[in-house]
Amino acid sequence: MKVVEIFDSIDGEGLRVGKTVSFIRLAGCNLRCTYCDTLYALFGEDEPCRYTEMTVGEVFSAANKSFGRITLTGGEPLLHSESAELCDMLAEAGCEINIETNGAADITEFMSRVKHRDNIFFTIDYKLPSSGMEDKMLWSNFEVLRSCDVVKFVVGSEQDTEVMKNTVRRLNGIYASSARPHIYAGTVFGSCEPSKLVDAILGDPELKDVTFQLQIHKFIWDPEKRGV
Ligand code: SF4
């Protein structure tokens, strides 16, 4: 596996925000979002991607299992075929694994290769227009989510807000409320007024169950800092 970094921190967003976790960041991504804050984990950028080639067993050994929580991220972790085996090994060691995925990698195919599905949940992005990647979203991913999964929106413009509203309506139409995945929404750090997004959530009954979030790691540490 091409591993950019393995480190301990707290989850900066989502269901486990503020909880201690061990992060595993894998190299490479099939998208190029305008606001990407992990360009150092992508190939073909100005800055070369520095990674270490490791076996699944080596990644498993290097990850800190003592928290019982792992966040598998990237880049796009589902592009690595070994991620399924790694998740099973971590699950067998008693860990819950949060897979941060970009909405453009097939989660059904991935889950078909995993034994311990109950130990895994997805935090899956729905990329909005300002990312430049909305046309890469695999809608089939958003139809097979579980109530433990999270759909995440990162809003960078008024157009994004409108598309987010339409997408939440679509999700509300697919899932009964008890089976619906969690929905989280935040803003592109430093480029969009968070209060406007809160107002949009308050003003639309369809968004009443959306959880607003800030990426707390960008307030605790320098937003450019790696390995946190
Ligand atoms: S999906 Fe994530 S890692 Fe890939 S380009 Fe977009 S923000 Fe960067």
Side-chain angles (χ1 to χ4, degrees):
M1 305 183 87
K2 293 178 171 49
V3 181
V4 176
E5 52 189 355
I6 298 175
F7 59 95
D8 294 344
S9 189
I10 54 170
D11 253 342
E13 55 188 331
L15 278 184
R16 303 191 303 201
V17 66
K19 298 269 193 192
T20 50
V21 299
S22 187
F23 280 86
I24 302 170
R25 185 183 306 286
L26 302 180
C29 185
N30 53 340
L31 299 186
R32 288 295 181 276
C33 304
T34 54
Y35 49 70
C36 181
D37 57 3
T38 51
L39 290 172
Y40 60 94
L42 312 187
F43 295 114
E45 307 306 307
D46 291 343
E47 181 184 0
C49 177
R50 296 187 204 291
Y51 64 87
T52 305
E53 194 76 56
M54 299 171 79
T55 64
V56 177
E58 287 168 341
V59 179
F60 173 78
S61 297
N64 177 2
K65 278 83 69 184
S66 68
F67 301 135
R69 287 177 290 271
I70 301 284
T71 294
L72 185 61
T73 189
E76 172 47 59
L78 299 191
L79 298 184
H80 296 246
S81 59
E82 304 95 329
S83 287
E85 183 184 353
L86 176 62
C87 286
D88 275 334
M89 290 172 76
L90 291 165
E92 281 162 20
C95 293
E96 174 194 64
I97 304 117
N98 173 18
I99 301 179
E100 296 186 330
T101 183
N102 64 19
D106 185 354
I107 64 171
T108 304
E109 189 278 333
F110 171 79
M111 283 303 243
S112 72
R113 292 188 288 114
V114 170
K115 282 186 284 190
H116 300 287
R117 298 184 186 95
D118 290 349
N119 292 62
I120 292 171
F121 73 91
F122 292 104
T123 300
I124 182 168
D125 287 346
Y126 186 91
K127 300 290 184 188
L128 294 166
S130 74
S131 70
M133 295 291 128
E134 192 193 1
D135 63 329
K136 304 290 193 304
M137 293 298 91
L138 292 179
W139 184 252
S140 55
N141 280 336
F142 297 89
E143 295 176 319
V144 294
L145 297 171
R146 302 158 299 167
S147 57
C148 60
D149 296 318
V150 177
V151 178
K152 185 180 102 180
F153 295 96
V154 178
V155 174
S157 67
E158 288 183 16
Q159 184 192 14
D160 281 2
T161 304
E162 292 311 309
V163 174
M164 179 192 75
K165 287 180 181 177
N166 290 336
T167 309
V168 171
R169 276 188 204 103
R170 230 173 140 185
L171 291 168
N172 289 347
I174 294 173
Y175 297 98
S177 60
S178 59
R180 193 183 304 146
H182 306 274
I183 301 177
Y184 279 62
T187 52
V188 178
F189 185 78
S191 70
C192 193
E193 196 53 58
S195 63
K196 283 193 178 167
L197 177 56
V198 174
D199 287 343
I201 293 170
L202 290 170
D204 186 336
E206 288 275 352
L207 304 185
K208 71 180 174 60
D209 294 323
V210 171
T211 301
F212 172 81
Q213 67 174 356
L214 296 169
Q215 296 173 298
I216 63 168
H217 51 290
K218 295 192 175 173
F219 293 88
I220 299 171
W221 296 284
D222 183 314
E224 304 297 321
K225 191 169 166 57
R226 299 178 188 181
V228 292

